[in-house]
Amino acid sequence: EDQVTQSPEALRLQEGESSSLNCSYTVSGLRGLFWYRQDPGKGPEFLFTLYSAGEEKEKERLKATLTKKESFLHITAPKPEDSATYLCAVPGNTPLVFGKGTRLSVIA
Amino acid sequence: NAGVMQNPRHLVRRRGQEARLRCSPMKGHSHVYWYRQLPEEGLKFMVYLQKENIIDESGMPKERFSAEFPKEGPSILRIQQVVRGDSAAYFCASSPGLAAGTGELFFGEGSRLTVL
């Protein structure tokens, strides 16, 4: 069964305190790994697509990396506006299988 | 350039009533996906449709739930005889092509169903 596991479930950072979120997956034949951001009361918003091990994508303070078993979302010098739930997803037997997300809080 | 539009944003129903949730995809998008999100749970796939066709409904409960995406008009997710366990946020997403290709789904803001 296709599975996506994210850790930690919640993360509280001080403004400027860099950290990483983890997404591990079990899927037969990886066809990409996708990161989304979800703000409270909103729908998820697409951030990145990664297709192969070693690939990296960057957007402002966020950098996503991919290995054969997992992906990391690195957050450098976060700001309060980076507070959100970050979701990762993979195509499986259904269009996209999502993890439960990591709820990030950045305190000023 | 309107995004994915869902309505109603909030819906309250009593047990046994019907709930109808509507989704208008982004202009030019012919693929629609419905996901359900329970508190503290991830997004769970329900159904994938193209115009007039259900492509994958493997995530949809066999009873009481149905979905359609007619040639004209929005996609509709219909829940008959609602029960308390149906209370959740229902998200619609659209894409111009098969999402697995790019992973980029465009989500609406969701419809929050509360069953009393």
Side-chain angles (χ1 to χ4, degrees):
Chain A
E1 182 183 335
D2 303 322
Q3 206 161 9
V4 178
T5 304
Q6 292 188 247
S7 63
E9 290 185 14
L11 181 62
R12 187 182 173 98
L13 298 173
Q14 292 292 320
E15 185 174 3
E17 180 186 1
S18 302
S19 189
S20 297
L21 314 181
N22 176 264
C23 170
S24 62
Y25 56 88
T26 305
V27 64
S28 55
L30 183 68
R31 290 169 286 143
L33 184 138
F34 316 112
W35 282 97
Y36 283 77
R37 169 186 170 133
Q38 185 175 22
D39 292 299
K42 304 285 188 180
E45 180 182 350
F46 174 79
L47 290 173
F48 301 113
T49 300
L50 299 165
Y51 285 111
S52 55
E55 188 175 359
E56 297 183 353
K57 291 276 180 72
E58 284 190 65
K59 182 178 181 179
E60 296 182 359
R61 295 174 292 282
L62 300 177
K63 183 168 79 173
T65 61
L66 181 66
T67 72
K68 287 186 177 179
K69 294 289 184 186
E70 57 191 348
S71 177
F72 293 93
L73 186 65
H74 307 278
I75 303 176
T76 302
K79 298 182 177 181
E81 53 262 42
D82 295 322
S83 298
T85 296
Y86 291 86
L87 304 169
C88 72
V90 297
N93 290 325
T94 60
L96 282 184
V97 179
F98 282 86
K100 291 185 180 181
T102 293
R103 190 170 60 254
L104 175 66
S105 300
V106 181
I107 312 302
Chain B
N1 189 15
V4 176
M5 303 300 292
Q6 289 189 248
N7 67 83
R9 292 292 312 281
H10 300 275
L11 182 64
V12 179
R13 285 287 179 266
R14 296 190 180 279
R15 282 179 296 169
Q17 292 185 320
E18 178 179 290
R20 284 192 181 220
L21 310 178
R22 296 173 190 78
C23 169
S24 296
M26 284 185 70
K27 188 176 181 181
H29 288 191
S30 58
H31 298 243
V32 165
Y33 314 78
W34 285 94
Y35 283 80
R36 176 163 66 176
Q37 188 173 46
L38 293 164
E40 308 305 320
E41 294 288 327
L43 285 160
K44 299 295 185 186
F45 169 77
M46 299 183 72
V47 62
Y48 163 38
L49 311 102
Q50 292 182 33
K51 283 284 187 182
E52 300 184 275
N53 288 305
I54 296 175
I55 306 302
D56 182 348
E57 58 182 348
S58 59
M60 201 143 72
K62 294 289 185 282
E63 298 180 355
R64 302 187 298 107
F65 285 73
S66 62
E68 62 177 7
F69 188 15
K71 186 177 180 181
E72 301 291 338
S75 174
I76 295 175
L77 180 66
R78 180 184 179 201
I79 311 172
Q80 295 178 288
Q81 299 173 354
V82 297
V83 301
R84 288 213 174 111
D86 296 332
S87 296
Y90 292 83
F91 288 95
C92 170
S94 72
S95 66
L98 183 59
T102 66
E104 186 169 5
L105 296 182
F106 294 82
F107 281 85
E109 299 207 324
S111 292
R112 281 150 186 84
L113 172 65
T114 301
V115 180
L116 301 177

